[in-house]
Amino acid sequence: RLFKQAYGRGPMEVLRMVRLDRAATLLSHTNLQIKEIARLTGFENPFHFSRCFRAEFGASPRAFRAKMAEGKFSPGSRFHQRHQMTSRLWGEL
């Protein structure tokens, strides 16, 4: 309760956001396979990872990687908003 009061989100939601933010960073800066990124970020099932990723960022991991390579994510996108939020939260934790 105190965590949610302090950060506006529950601890499990913040943990999921941090994991997905890390996955987004790996997708945009490495050539690792999506299933490997899923494993590295704590998702045992790549399908579940893809569903969570799409729900968070509005694109599949594969489409996200392609858009990042093309420079199609603007500073106002959901990715950048989430990244700023998780960076701020990570610094406070």
Side-chain angles (χ1 to χ4, degrees):
R1 187 181 60 197
L2 294 174
F3 189 95
K4 188 168 186 168
Q5 191 175 25
Y7 299 107
R9 300 177 189 281
M12 293 306 292
E13 184 178 358
V14 169
L15 177 60
R16 183 177 44 80
M17 287 172 54
V18 168
R19 289 167 57 201
L20 291 170
D21 181 62
R22 177 68 179 144
T25 300
L26 290 171
L27 283 165
S28 61
H29 293 5
T30 71
N31 290 325
L32 292 172
Q33 292 182 353
I34 292 171
K35 67 180 180 181
E36 181 66 13
I37 291 173
R39 188 188 64 75
L40 288 171
T41 55
F43 292 89
E44 291 184 30
N45 183 329
F47 178 73
H48 178 68
F49 164 69
S50 293
R51 283 189 4 198
C52 290
F53 194 90
R54 182 186 302 272
E56 189 70 29
F57 295 115
S60 70
R62 185 179 313 256
F64 177 86
R65 179 177 266 170
K67 286 181 181 181
M68 287 299 284
E70 295 171 6
K72 290 190 176 181
F73 273 100
S74 66
S77 71
R78 272 201 292 187
F79 165 66
H80 289 291
Q81 292 170 358
R82 291 292 193 219
H83 183 68
Q84 288 174 345
M85 181 186 304
T86 57
S87 296
R88 195 171 52 244
L89 286 170
W90 189 250
E92 294 176 11
L93 295 177

